[in-house]
């Protein structure tokens, strides 16, 4: 969230530098920050991998990927400057000798800097390696300065509340809480960040932001793609753990949080934890009433035949893993009493679309209530992707001689203001370089988020859904999700 340039010399150590995340997101993000003049004047990217690669080979590999995934064009001049900061370093994750060699390399960089530089460790690896790396970092004193050394952890952060607590305890043996950056790339998206500015920077909306004026809130993250090459991973995860426990609950926190006293990271994260604690826990006997799961079967996506989830590579023929999840939450606090928060996410759905819908209550009495004209609900829609805009829907007079009303929209289009919008990882990596924790999850946030979905998770893992597959690829999910909102007279927008 900070617009400043990182200044202190920094070495960025990427574990898993040859992996998919590094090539698609991390190196393009660092390259774009470099082009924009946001990287520290003295910085090095130490790319760790198990293979015996040369520097030249690895840099060519990075350049090829930048040409495919960077939002900025690759020029010979920019690349020459950027690649000079990259060093490939062979590392075996489970061998302490590799970490001792890494320690020597970091000290070499410090000599070049002329000072003890910051160290940013990025764990772009599977969650099963986190404990191994953390222990070796501790044993070799690689992150001995709590003010200068930071670690970024990718999701999934645990697989349930107990494992998340154990992982937090493990990391606490090596790092202070202010050193740990648990990353959720959804919080780096421009329109998600804009929620704070929109809510707390405008006097016309904040007074309406409560149960007296808002009827319901919807959060949808729909994907056209299936599991692709991630079948084995997804079989152990599912939509609830993959999306709702982290992404959607974090967006919910941004929408529902109380006004922070300041933009200081601790203050904002405190308000988010307050939201998670206020979410009414769903009892085990009420899971089917408040939550719906689904699994896609065969269907048509964009005019092309699509196979079902159980026909994907690495998926069991009788898989009980959900590829769709919808939940109705309530917040037991003064601001949001009795306002339903509907969240849903799914794969192989009709279209790729992530958005938030705030639906306002109708007027208690309208001048037009006795007329034959239909009054559409007032809505505020915040589109996250692929659209990036904020739309206010309201009624207005249709031009002409008769007094006829029609629904209209006022739109703030992010692309119209700035076509070349930074990627989410650019925002988050810059914040990590600056030491700004605002958009990163704290240990208590993670544990509370797992607690929110605990009973749903347990019910779905222990009870097989005999209706699977229960929605066609290319649809909006199972019919039960429609019933979930229609029970209270609502519709998915």
């Amino acid at each position: 969230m900070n617009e400043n340039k990182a200044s202190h010399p920094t070495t960025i150590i990427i574990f898993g530098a040859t992996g998919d995340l590094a090539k698609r997101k991390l190196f393009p993000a660092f390259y774009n920050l470099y082009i924009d003049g946001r990287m520290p004047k003295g910085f090095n990217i130490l790319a760790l991998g198990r293979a015996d690669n040369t520097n030249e080979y690895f840099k060519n590999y990075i350049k090829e990927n930048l040409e495919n995934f960077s939002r900025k064009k690759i020029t010979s001049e920019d690349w020459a400057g950027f690649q000079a900061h990259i060093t490939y370093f062979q590392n075996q994750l489970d061998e302490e000798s590799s970490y001792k060699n890494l320690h020597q390399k970091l000290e070499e960089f410090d000599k070049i800097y002329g000072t003890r530089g910051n160290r940013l460790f990025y764990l772009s690896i599977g969650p099963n390696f986190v404990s191994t790396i953390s222990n070796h970092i501790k044993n070799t004193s690689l992150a001995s300065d709590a003010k200068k050394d930071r670690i970024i952890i990718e999701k999934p952060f645990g697989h349930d509340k107990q494992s998340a607590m154990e992982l937090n305890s493990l990391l606490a043996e090596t790092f202070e809480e202010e050193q740990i950056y648990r990353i959720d790339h959804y919080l780096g998206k421009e329109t998600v960040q804009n929620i704070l500015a929109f809510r707390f920077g405008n006097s016309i909306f904040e007074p309406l932001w409560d149960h007296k004026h808002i009827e319901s809130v919807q959060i949808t993250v729909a994907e056209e793609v299936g599991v692709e090459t991630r079948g084995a991973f997804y079989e152990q995860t599912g939509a609830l753990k993959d999306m709702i426990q982290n992404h959607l609950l974090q967006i919910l926190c941004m929408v529902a949080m109380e006004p922070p006293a300041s933009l200081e990271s601790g203050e904002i994260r405190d308000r988010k934890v307050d939201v998670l604690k206020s979410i009414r826990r769903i009892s085990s006997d009420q899971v089917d009433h408040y939550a719906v799961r689904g699994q896609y079967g065969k269907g048509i996506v964009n005019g092309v035949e699509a196979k079902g989830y159980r026909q994907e590579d690495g998926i069991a023929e009788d898989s009980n893993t959900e590829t769709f999840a919808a939940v109705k939450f309530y917040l037991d606090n003064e601001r949001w009493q009795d306002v339903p928060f509907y969240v849903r996410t799914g794969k192989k759905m009709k279209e790729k679309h992530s958005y938030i819908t705030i639906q306002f209550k109708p007027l208690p009495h309208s001048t037009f209530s006795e007329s034959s004209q239909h009054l559409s609900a007032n809505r505020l829609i915040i589109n996250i992707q692929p659209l990036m805009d904020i739309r206010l829907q309201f009624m207005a007079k249709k031009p002409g001689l008769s007094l006829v009303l029609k629904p209209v929209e006022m739109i703030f289009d992010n692309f119209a203001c700035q076509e070349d919008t930074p990627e989410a990882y650019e925002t988050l990596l810059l914040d990590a370089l600056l030491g700004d924790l605002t958009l990163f999850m704290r240990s208590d946030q993670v544990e509370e988020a797992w607690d929110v979905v605990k009973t749903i998770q347990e019910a779905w893992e222990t009870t097989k859904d005999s209706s699977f597959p229960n929605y066609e690829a290319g649809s909006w999910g199972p019919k039960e999700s429609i019933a979930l909102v229609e029970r209270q007279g609502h519709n998915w927008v």
Side-chain angles (χ1 to χ4, degrees), residues 186 189 191 218-225 243 248 251 344-357 381-391 393 409 475-476 493:
Y186 257 74
K189 293 183 181 296
T191 42
Q218 295 182 18
I219 302 171
T220 294
V221 176
E223 300 178 277
E224 281 184 341
V225 298
M243 296 295 292
L248 275 75
I251 294 173
R344 65 171 171 170
T345 183
K347 290 189 175 296
K348 282 286 177 74
M349 296 186 73
K350 189 175 182 63
E351 62 184 37
K352 178 181 179 179
H353 197 176
S354 300
Y355 57 100
I356 305 161
T357 302
I381 299 177
I382 302 171
N383 284 306
I384 300 170
Q385 66 178 17
L387 298 174
M388 294 174 59
D389 59 38
I390 300 175
R391 297 166 180 253
Q393 298 179 343
E409 288 186 332
S475 70
W476 279 109
V493 178

Side-chain angles (χ1 to χ4, degrees), residues 2 19 39 81 117 136 146 152 154-155 176 178 188 192 199 208-209 226 228 230 254 292 320 351 363 368 397 400 413:
N2 201 313
M39 294 294 285
H136 281 303
I152 299 179
E154 276 282 346
K155 81 172 188 74
E176 300 294 331
E178 61 267 23
V192 174
R199 276 194 62 189
L208 305 178
W209 217 260
E228 298 179 302
R230 301 169 68 231
M254 298 285 276
V292 172
N320 193 49
E351 62 184 37
L363 289 168
F368 297 94
K397 178 184 176 298
D413 188 346

Side-chain angles (χ1 to χ4, degrees), residues 1-3 38 71 184-198 251 254 356 382-390 412-428 431 439:
M1 296 182 70
N2 201 313
E3 295 184 357
R38 301 285 190 171
R71 70 178 173 88
D184 183 342
H185 71 273
Y186 257 74
L187 294 185
K189 293 183 181 296
E190 191 71 28
T191 42
V192 174
Q193 293 181 73
N194 213 348
I195 297 171
L196 288 178
F198 186 82
I251 294 173
M254 298 285 276
I356 305 161
I382 302 171
N383 284 306
I384 300 170
Q385 66 178 17
L387 298 174
M388 294 174 59
D389 59 38
I390 300 175
F412 163 71
D413 188 346
N414 192 81
F415 289 122
C417 295
Q418 182 175 339
E419 293 183 8
D420 190 23
T421 302
E423 295 283 340
Y425 271 94
E426 294 173 47
T427 299
L428 295 169
D431 281 357
L439 297 177

Side-chain angles (χ1 to χ4, degrees), residues 1 8 13 28 35 50 104 111 149 165 168 187 192 259 275 277 289 291 308 310 335 367 369 374 382 390 417 430 469:
M1 296 182 70
H8 197 79
I13 305 100
I35 300 305
R50 289 178 291 184
Q104 293 177 359
K111 289 179 181 178
D149 302 330
M165 293 173 64
N168 281 331
L187 294 185
V192 174
V275 172
K277 288 181 176 179
H289 181 78
R310 294 180 179 183
R335 181 181 292 268
T367 303
S369 61
H374 173 69
I382 302 171
I390 300 175
C417 295
L430 177 59

Side-chain angles (χ1 to χ4, degrees), residues 8 21 29 31 42 51 91 109 112 145 191 196 198 258 282 285 295 312 321-322 331 367 369 407 431 434 442 446 455:
H8 197 79
L21 177 66
Y31 177 78
N91 173 268
F109 287 137
I112 296 172
D145 192 327
T191 42
L196 288 178
F198 186 82
E258 291 296 316
I282 298 171
D285 61 338
Q295 186 186 93
E312 303 276 13
T321 301
E322 80 282 353
L331 278 61
T367 303
S369 61
D431 281 357
L434 293 165
R442 205 167 58 192
V446 173
T455 53

Side-chain angles (χ1 to χ4, degrees), residues 265-273 437 440 442 445:
S265 63
E267 174 69 16
I268 291 178
R269 299 205 292 177
D270 284 345
R271 302 290 76 77
K272 289 180 181 179
V273 172
L437 286 155
F440 296 87
R442 205 167 58 192
Q445 284 179 269

Side-chain angles (χ1 to χ4, degrees), residues 185-324:
H185 71 273
Y186 257 74
L187 294 185
K189 293 183 181 296
E190 191 71 28
T191 42
V192 174
Q193 293 181 73
N194 213 348
I195 297 171
L196 288 178
F198 186 82
R199 276 194 62 189
F200 305 126
N202 296 290
S203 62
I204 61 174
F205 288 110
E206 183 58 22
L208 305 178
W209 217 260
D210 59 26
H211 68 96
K212 297 176 183 176
H213 303 94
I214 291 176
E215 184 174 84
S216 66
V217 178
Q218 295 182 18
I219 302 171
T220 294
V221 176
E223 300 178 277
E224 281 184 341
V225 298
V227 294
E228 298 179 302
T229 60
R230 301 169 68 231
F233 163 79
Y234 204 82
E235 271 289 80
Q236 305 300 317
T237 310
L240 183 74
K241 292 192 286 186
D242 188 43
M243 296 295 292
I244 289 183
Q245 183 274 333
N246 42 73
H247 297 329
L248 275 75
L249 282 181
Q250 288 305 305
I251 294 173
L252 188 154
C253 287
M254 298 285 276
V255 173
M257 65 189 284
E258 291 296 316
S262 70
L263 292 178
E264 192 271 325
S265 63
E267 174 69 16
I268 291 178
R269 299 205 292 177
D270 284 345
R271 302 290 76 77
K272 289 180 181 179
V273 172
D274 290 343
V275 172
L276 292 170
K277 288 181 176 179
S278 74
I279 295 177
R280 187 184 305 168
R281 299 322 194 235
I282 298 171
S283 62
S284 56
D285 61 338
Q286 289 289 305
V287 168
D288 288 344
H289 181 78
Y290 288 97
V292 172
R293 55 177 162 168
Q295 186 186 93
Y296 66 83
K298 297 178 181 179
I300 305 295
V301 180
N302 284 331
V304 178
E305 288 189 11
K307 54 188 176 183
Y309 177 72
R310 294 180 179 183
Q311 287 75 54
E312 303 276 13
D313 293 339
I315 305 302
E317 293 181 359
D318 60 347
S319 173
N320 193 49
T321 301
E322 80 282 353
T323 61
F324 174 96

